[in-house]
Amino acid sequence: MKQNSSEQLVRVHRRQFIVGPREFLARSDWHFFPLGNSLVLSTDPDLRVSKVVDLDGTTWFILGIAVDTRPEYSTPLEELKKVRTQDITSLYEGWAGRWILVSGEHIHPDASAMLGCYYGRDTDGNLWASSSPTLIETVLKINQSKTSSQWQPSPHATVTGKVRGISWYPPPHSKIPGVSRLLPTQILDLTEGIPKSRPLVMPMTEKYKDQEIYAILRTAIQTAIEGFATLNAPDDLTLLLSGGRDSRVLLSVASAAGIPLNTFTRIHRRASLADRILPARLSKITGYSHNVNYQRQEIEGRREAILAHAGYNVSWLSAEEFLRGGSDPLRGIALAGFCAALGRDRLMPVSSATEATGKMIAEHFCEGESPQLIAAFDAWLEWRRNHQDDDPCVNLYDYFFIEQRTGGRKGIKEQIFDLFPVERVPPLNSARIFSLICHLSSEAKIKALWIPEIIKATKPELLADPMNPPNSYFGFFRNKLHNLRSRFST
């Protein structure tokens, strides 16, 4: 059930939840639900909450948006009724979206922990968990002077940009002393207050050729988009479209399947010519209407709203989309191509957790002088060494992309996104899709060949222009003009 409490554009604590020994109402209109084991779930009215009982009588709450990527399955809510508690993890391996599954004993995040979970104990030893770093800090009564002394990202830090650095606080640590953050490979045991391991990718008993995996991935993506379209009906979905690969494969699959949607592009001061020019061309090819929004100056009051809602847990450059109103026009459900870089994103200095150290990673990103950042990466590496997947198809590059770049950085960005009415979801973030990508041949995985192959099979006209072409592709004069504008933009 989805309940709308407000049409405010920006609202602090929208779509957040808290689990603890008693209800915690961040606003007077919050709801609460007994979980069992003396725990209570408290939620903002704009957070989607679905309740279901499995075959063993365990009550589950699905928070957020989940759809299955397997066409032979019904909705997650219906499928939960048909399984025993011990089979829950094998059921949700096919779920995509941004969700958390909660019972009186466990919290299960989605496959990329896009809907995050912070947890810690209060002075009485009671366990609390929340999607919100500011609410968990409030309920645990953490002295803010302690958090302000912690390492924090440089305001302009990006792992590949001009100011090279880490733009998020690496989980499983958090900026808040005594508070941890769930990794995508963790389940929170609410009875013991500790994380338990789960695999990043699910085992595959059958061996597929690359072409067979491409076909399965195409079906999985189409099934996920159709599921989101059903949830968003009667309104059309919005596809966040750029000049790159990730959104183009979503566009291709949706177009071939005849799924109604609109496309949307936000133009920011660092946007490439590909992002400025290609989305309109691509939309025209598919017959979808295209909307564009130009980010301007920082909007008054936004910085204060972000700090109240999310704290400072990601660089201001990463939060620029929200500061400058880049996504303000959006409503309903918006699709994003998150997680498509799995396998091709190889930003780590080494591929093995046994070889890596926190200092090595920090230095690789020009952050080697921070003991707290090094300790955070060391904690992550310790978890990785102690809880390795049995499947050799995944390596430290893959874990870094999903657990740090996606769960760590994107997770907090999506939590900031909760300030706004629109709900952004990734059709690609299911453990099943991760498994399929990781089981491709080495070349197909590293080069992400599944993306152009799916586009060829669905809407080959979308390959008329290359994906993420350099600015020079658009001609000498356009490139020169773009460089001049970029130089004087603020």
Side-chain angles (χ1 to χ4, degrees):
M1 56 185 175
K2 185 185 178 185
Q3 304 166 20
N4 292 311
S5 67
S6 172
E7 290 301 318
Q8 288 177 261
L9 179 60
V10 177
R11 184 164 68 74
V12 173
H13 304 320
R14 177 185 263 128
R15 290 198 293 271
Q16 304 307 295
F17 74 85
I18 294 183
V19 172
R22 58 187 177 276
E23 67 267 21
F24 181 92
L25 307 184
R27 286 168 41 117
S28 61
D29 57 353
W30 271 43
H31 308 295
F32 62 91
F33 312 88
L35 290 176
N37 288 332
S38 300
L39 292 172
V40 179
L41 167 67
S42 304
T43 66
D44 181 83
D46 279 0
L47 178 65
R48 295 177 188 251
V49 179
S50 300
K51 179 181 177 182
V52 66
V53 179
D54 68 20
L55 286 179
D56 290 325
T58 302
T59 299
W60 294 95
F61 291 86
I62 305 177
L63 311 183
I65 302 179
V67 298
D68 212 305
T69 59
R70 299 162 293 193
E72 67 271 21
Y73 280 70
S74 182
T75 65
L77 189 64
E78 290 302 314
E79 294 294 339
L80 271 170
K81 300 175 184 177
K82 306 174 187 177
V83 299
R84 298 197 174 278
T85 303
Q86 65 181 18
D87 298 322
I88 290 294
T89 54
S90 60
L91 170 63
Y92 67 58
E93 71 176 84
W95 296 1
R98 183 169 177 260
W99 53 269
I100 266 187
L101 189 61
V102 182
S103 73
E105 295 184 350
H106 295 98
I107 292 179
H108 301 250
D110 63 60
S112 57
M114 202 75 78
L115 205 170
C117 180
Y118 295 82
Y119 62 96
R121 293 188 181 275
D122 61 22
T123 54
D124 294 324
N126 296 312
L127 180 70
W128 292 84
S130 178
S131 54
S132 166
T134 59
L135 289 179
I136 196 76
E137 189 175 346
T138 298
V139 76
L140 296 181
K141 299 178 181 177
I142 303 292
N143 189 325
Q144 290 192 352
S145 64
K146 293 182 179 180
T147 62
S148 62
S149 64
Q150 300 293 302
W151 172 88
Q152 59 183 13
S154 166
H156 303 289
T158 59
V159 295
T160 57
K162 292 181 180 178
V163 182
R164 188 168 166 82
I166 297 297
S167 58
W168 69 95
Y169 205 101
H173 279 194
S174 82
K175 183 183 176 182
I176 310 166
V179 172
S180 300
R181 184 177 171 193
L182 275 186
L183 290 165
T185 54
Q186 293 178 332
I187 298 166
L188 181 58
D189 186 325
L190 293 172
T191 58
E192 299 180 33
I194 58 173
K196 292 187 174 180
S197 178
R198 72 175 184 187
L200 180 69
V201 301
M202 307 307 292
M204 291 179 61
T205 55
E206 301 179 44
K207 290 194 173 181
Y208 296 104
K209 295 179 180 178
D210 285 347
Q211 291 294 333
E212 294 174 307
I213 292 179
Y214 301 155
I216 298 170
L217 282 169
R218 172 188 171 182
T219 300
I221 296 169
Q222 178 178 328
T223 303
I225 296 175
E226 288 172 340
F228 292 129
T230 299
L231 288 175
N232 200 55
D235 298 323
D236 291 346
L237 295 170
T238 297
L239 172 62
L240 307 181
L241 187 59
S242 71
R245 290 180 274 196
D246 306 347
S247 60
R248 199 175 308 188
V249 72
L250 300 183
L251 177 69
S252 181
V253 171
S255 174
I259 301 171
L261 55 80
N262 302 302
T263 64
F264 177 89
T265 303
R266 65 179 180 91
I267 303 298
H268 53 85
R269 57 196 170 105
R270 294 171 288 113
S272 66
L273 280 176
D275 289 344
R276 294 171 185 270
I277 295 172
L278 292 184
R281 286 188 194 174
L282 299 170
S283 300
K284 186 176 181 180
I285 290 171
T286 56
Y288 290 134
S289 64
H290 177 63
N291 301 290
V292 63
N293 185 40
Y294 291 88
Q295 292 185 182
R296 303 299 184 185
Q297 299 298 318
E298 181 175 326
I299 298 172
E300 185 178 357
R302 286 291 172 89
R303 195 169 294 242
E304 292 77 12
I306 290 172
L307 290 174
H309 177 83
Y312 184 70
N313 284 283
V314 70
S315 71
W316 286 120
L317 185 64
S318 292
E320 186 181 80
E321 170 185 357
F322 316 112
L323 289 171
R324 297 182 176 227
S327 299
D328 283 9
L330 295 172
R331 297 293 185 276
I333 296 177
L335 307 179
F338 303 150
C339 302
L342 176 63
R344 75 174 195 258
D345 193 319
R346 304 170 73 80
L347 292 171
M348 287 291 295
V350 293
S351 62
S352 169
T354 58
E355 301 174 33
T357 66
K359 186 170 180 60
M360 180 189 298
I361 298 173
E363 288 179 342
H364 182 69
F365 295 105
C366 306
E367 295 267 16
E369 302 304 315
S370 170
Q372 293 165 337
L373 181 62
I374 291 170
F377 278 127
D378 276 332
W380 173 61
L381 289 170
E382 182 180 7
W383 177 265
R384 286 272 48 84
R385 286 189 287 266
N386 294 336
H387 303 90
Q388 297 185 36
D389 277 24
D390 294 331
D391 201 317
C393 74
V394 289
N395 55 40
L396 200 61
Y397 299 134
D398 304 321
Y399 287 117
F400 185 79
F401 173 70
I402 293 296
E403 298 203 296
Q404 297 298 336
R405 290 280 287 155
T406 306
R409 177 177 172 270
K410 287 288 188 188
I412 189 61
K413 281 193 67 175
E414 297 315 288
Q415 197 264 334
I416 297 174
F417 207 82
D418 283 333
L419 279 166
F420 305 91
V422 62
E423 297 172 279
R424 185 159 65 183
V425 292
L428 297 168
N429 74 327
S430 78
R432 179 169 175 264
I433 287 178
F434 294 169
S435 296
L436 290 165
I437 293 173
C438 287
H439 280 91
L440 288 166
S441 65
S442 179
E443 181 184 17
K445 177 185 174 184
I446 293 171
K447 294 182 178 180
L449 296 182
W450 61 275
I451 293 179
E453 289 297 323
I454 289 177
I455 297 173
K456 285 179 187 177
T458 50
K459 200 75 173 176
E461 305 96 303
L462 292 175
L463 294 174
D465 288 298
M467 294 175 279
N468 275 329
N471 290 337
S472 58
Y473 171 79
F474 299 94
F476 176 80
F477 290 107
R478 266 186 168 171
N479 187 17
K480 275 288 187 182
L481 182 60
H482 173 73
N483 290 337
L484 284 171
R485 286 175 175 171
S486 299
R487 187 180 304 173
F488 294 106
S489 66
T490 58

